Amino acid sequence: QVQLVESGGGLVQAGGSLRLSCAASGRTFTRYSMGWHRQAPGKEREFVARISSRGGSTYYTDSVKGRFTISRDNAKNTVYLQMNSLKPEDTAVYTCAARNDFTLQYDYWGQGTQVTVSS
């Protein structure tokens, strides 16, 4: 079992920055790749970024490349999403999730944190 708790969301002006954190409980954190997803009002949830279990590989959706950085600290069981040059279209609920690298399915999800970018 892995429980995930996000923090760090809030209201920021366009061009600003936020850093989201996702703290994981349990001893199996390093078995999972970790991903961030987001869901804007009236839209489907979309993939944002993912980091491999040891942190050696990262993946991003095209719209955030060069602006967002995903990282993890396995000693702290925490994954981060540094978001720079934020745009109003980044407004969404951001949720972290743990992906089983054998099934490629996200087994565990957090509750999400709201990010609002004003123009």
Side-chain angles (χ1 to χ4, degrees), residues 25-92:
S25 65
R27 301 180 179 179
T28 59
F29 179 68
T30 56
R31 296 182 186 178
Y32 294 90
S33 295
M34 297 298 296
W36 284 97
H37 296 72
R38 67 186 180 186
Q39 186 168 20
K43 296 186 177 180
E44 293 188 354
R45 184 169 61 197
E46 66 170 345
F47 166 79
V48 176
R50 188 175 76 248
I51 187 167
S52 59
S53 59
R54 299 297 180 182
S57 298
T58 56
Y59 310 89
Y60 299 91
T61 193
D62 286 346
S63 63
V64 308
K65 285 181 181 177
R67 299 189 298 122
F68 290 12
T69 303
I70 189 170
S71 62
R72 66 190 294 164
D73 185 337
N74 285 346
K76 296 182 178 180
N77 278 13
T78 302
V79 62
Y80 305 97
L81 186 67
Q82 177 67 43
M83 306 186 295
N84 298 329
S85 302
L86 282 161
K87 304 175 181 179
E89 51 263 43
D90 294 319
T91 294

Side-chain angles (χ1 to χ4, degrees), residues 11-15 86-88 91 116-119:
L11 173 64
V12 63
Q13 289 188 332
L86 282 161
K87 304 175 181 179
T91 294
T116 303
V117 184
S118 63
S119 57

